[in-house]
Amino acid sequence: MKKKNLYFLLIILLIINVSCKENSQNNLGKNTTNSIDSKVAELLSKMTLEEKIGQMNQYNGFWDVTGPKPSDGDAAKKYEHLKKGYVGSMLNVRGVKEVRAVQKIAVEETRLGIPLIIGFDVIHGYETLSPIPLAEAASWDLEAIKKSAQVAAKEAAAAGINWTFAPMVDISRDARWGRVMEGAGEDPYLGSKIATARVKGFQGDDLSSPETIAACAKHWAGYGFAEAGRDYNTVDVGTSTLNNIVFPPFKAAAEAGVKTFMNSFNELNGIPATGNSYLQRDILKDKWNYDGFVVSDWGSMNEMIAHGYAKDKKQAAELSIIAGSDMDMESYAYVDELANLVREGKVKESLIDDAVKRILKVKFELGLFDDPYKYCNEAIEKEVTGSQEIQEAVLDMAKKSIVLLKNENNLLPLKKEGQRIALIGALASDKNSPLGSWRIAAKDSTAVSVLEGLQKYSGNTITYSKGADLTLGKTEFAIELQINTTDKSGFTEAIQTAKNADVVVMVLGEHGFHTGEARSRADLGLPGVQQDLLEAIYKVNKNIVLVLNNGRPLTITWADAHVPAIVEAWQLGTQSGHAIAQVLYGDYNPSGKLPMTFPRSVGQIPIYYNYKNTGRPVLPAPNEVFWSHFTDESNTPLYPFGYGLSYTSFMYSNLIVNKVSEENVDVTFTLKNTGKVTGKEVVQLYIRDVLANVTRPVKELKGFEIVELKPNQEKTIHFNLTKDALGFFDNAGEFVLEPGEFKVFVGGSSQTVLESGFVMEAKNE
Ligand code: BGC
């Protein structure tokens, strides 16, 4: 090109660039010397009431639906609202092309050109999937969990997304609830650490980086305590449990700087969370001084009508804004009703201003005003999606998530050569189920199956026989799963395959869509004909390695009593089969520990390690019934919280508890690898506050560390307990530390092996 032409072209490009920017940003966010707060204030002062309310309105994209379709919303209305600037955010818009298309309307066609914040359920990965969050929690590996969130953010950001609806930090003690797969299990201490790791992973140190996205702590609050574990059901939780069990992971997320919260579908003690001022204003925004914004869950404003709390959509909008819900996800309540409510004097405009400020602040922090298309680069999308770095991170996470539940006679690890292996179960060859439940952006059937993994890592002869289908018909996010409960026609072939094998690997459990939202179960056994298949195979070959794929604790009592080796492999995501094969062959020594108690039977639920002692904890005399127990079931779990084996063994000794000063206690002990191979142990420290003004649990996790030791190697482990660990929230919600006796326990699970204690004297005031 001639120099003159080049010059001409440059001028043109410059003009286009300047005018585009002016048009798109209206000079917003350009004054870099201003703080974000003043930029927000300046912008707010230019906005009409309708434009402000628009920022509080979030629509689902035009493609995917993750909740019931609203009756009064349609694509045409969404387009019209987008063009008018009545939409502040969209969800389920995916891929650079789609994101750019909606962002272009917001930025270039509306009066103020305010960019959209694009939300998506990046729960355990975007297109490349890591293990389900409950599985990741089983690693207890905070660095790996952070890395997993970090690569998920990178992949999502490269596809145009700048806000994830994760982490879910709901504590749950009820495995019937399908959404336990999405959380970190039953413990508030572990849950808080994981919440922090995930928030930091998603958001990084710099939210304006094109590789990080805003996170969302959900569901505020109590959602994991749905009665009977039935999703969306009533929640009635006492003060002590709320303060000490439900709230802490949310507080940890807020302290880690999580940019947004999502409220929950449930009512909490009679008040739906979306209309709950105690939760959203008193605790979150006032007591915790939280300055991010709260998005309502899908349609939850309108659902207050069904709850019997709002008479119509207008009142739902009024109750929601007064209670502190800043953004409306798919209820069309704010966009349709708020302006009139303000004009009628029912809602103060200052409430709207506060909500809009919170939302705009996050948009500024993301850097969307500097470049609304910063997440929209096709070349980066192509380069990052499914990259080597992401595949390696999800494989690493998957291996660390596996929990060895049983290993009699060292059946595991399998030999790499010369073993005839029968591989049985529909899940063994399934490339779709390991992707789990939240995988909206993943391509179907892109996981590595166990069959593929086993074939890759050994020279053994592997004979695969399905045995029976697990599901029938469609397996989709929004559709009820059909389980095969009758067809056993494949049993004969599977039995024959098992007869001819040295070892039988059976992959059984739940399909990826059998857990997750709206997937509550009343029976926690192996679904369909799988239990019958297991027992039929056991009759001809007892050398069974049972690999479980599931999204929640199961009542596998029969398997525990009969099958010699059991591996908890959850739903492990894209690299599932590779991770499982590496563990089965001993290339990777498992170190995962259960983040949730496994019950013996459903009747024990809720069952959790940090229970209260009750007034009648023990058998008073032989044959007397007057103690807290079942007549037909033990009180103990099948596998306790914190439990998990290794291919090596560990010994704990020399527990010493030293009071350095009041409110500061040193705990040391020795850990030794007593087995034959190098292994990692998650050492766990628990306390019990023996006497208090509000009764305390029999055990509470207060510290853990992953320790790797070679055979015969030993190490002194050190923990320090301070006020944060020793105190608790009283029923007025105040954090207190009461003097008196404390017990200290250490071990490799909540069924600890060493015990000591100390007394904390009352301070002389
Ligand atoms: C879920 C949320 C999710 C939202 C958007 C709701 O049904 O409860 O956790 O983020 O849909 O997909």
Side-chain angles (χ1 to χ4, degrees), residues 58 60 65-68 91-92 120-121 123 165-166 168 179 182 218-219 223 231-232 262-263 265 296-298 329 438 440 477 517:
Q58 183 187 55
N60 186 55
V65 174
T66 51
L91 77 149
N92 289 333
F120 203 91
D121 289 287
I123 308 296
F165 303 128
M168 185 186 101
R179 293 195 87 166
E182 205 177 331
K218 69 186 188 185
H219 306 83
Y223 189 34
D231 207 1
Y232 319 126
M262 184 187 289
N263 58 33
F265 291 124
S296 72
D297 203 350
W298 182 292
M329 182 195 289
W438 281 111
I440 323 170
F477 182 74
E517 184 173 350

Side-chain angles (χ1 to χ4, degrees), residues 11-204:
I11 299 273
I12 299 276
L13 283 175
L14 206 69
I15 293 170
I16 294 175
N17 192 27
V18 169
S19 76
C20 267
K21 278 206 171 147
E22 274 185 359
N23 179 24
S24 70
Q25 294 168 41
N26 252 348
N27 286 328
L28 302 173
K30 282 196 152 178
N31 187 351
T32 43
T33 53
N34 273 356
S35 72
I36 285 185
D37 285 348
S38 54
K39 287 179 193 171
V40 167
E42 191 192 331
L43 175 52
L44 193 73
S45 70
K46 293 181 185 156
M47 296 169 79
T48 64
L49 177 62
E50 280 74 12
E51 284 166 340
K52 290 180 194 171
I53 293 166
Q55 287 304 303
M56 301 162 68
N57 182 31
Q58 183 187 55
Y59 282 151
N60 186 55
F62 304 95
W63 305 274
D64 299 297
V65 174
T66 51
K69 267 190 194 145
S71 54
D72 48 0
D74 57 35
K77 182 169 174 176
K78 284 179 188 172
Y79 268 123
E80 187 203 316
H81 283 180
L82 261 176
K83 284 186 183 160
K84 285 184 171 163
Y86 292 175
V87 185
S89 173
M90 294 198 78
L91 77 149
N92 289 333
V93 180
R94 60 177 148 147
V96 165
K97 204 167 144 226
E98 291 180 2
V99 172
R100 185 191 291 280
V102 287
Q103 194 67 294
K104 202 158 184 277
I105 302 175
V107 170
E108 293 177 18
E109 294 188 38
T110 66
R111 190 178 78 89
L112 291 171
I114 300 174
L116 299 165
I117 177 168
I118 307 288
F120 203 91
D121 289 287
V122 186
I123 308 296
H124 54 111
Y126 180 71
E127 188 170 317
T128 312
L129 293 178
S130 59
I132 56 168
L134 186 69
E136 290 195 357
S139 73
W140 297 51
D141 189 327
L142 302 175
E143 274 310 308
I145 293 172
K146 185 173 160 198
K147 175 79 183 172
S148 169
Q150 190 193 319
V151 296
K154 190 171 174 181
E155 194 177 57
I161 309 302
N162 41 49
W163 177 24
T164 173
F165 303 128
M168 185 186 101
V169 301
D170 297 310
I171 297 295
S172 182
R173 296 164 163 178
D174 196 329
R176 291 171 297 184
W177 191 49
R179 293 195 87 166
V180 300
M181 58 73 61
E182 205 177 331
E186 73 188 36
D187 182 63
Y189 180 84
L190 180 62
S192 299
K193 297 281 181 205
I194 291 176
T196 304
R198 288 201 168 121
V199 170
K200 295 210 158 136
F202 287 128
Q203 296 190 166

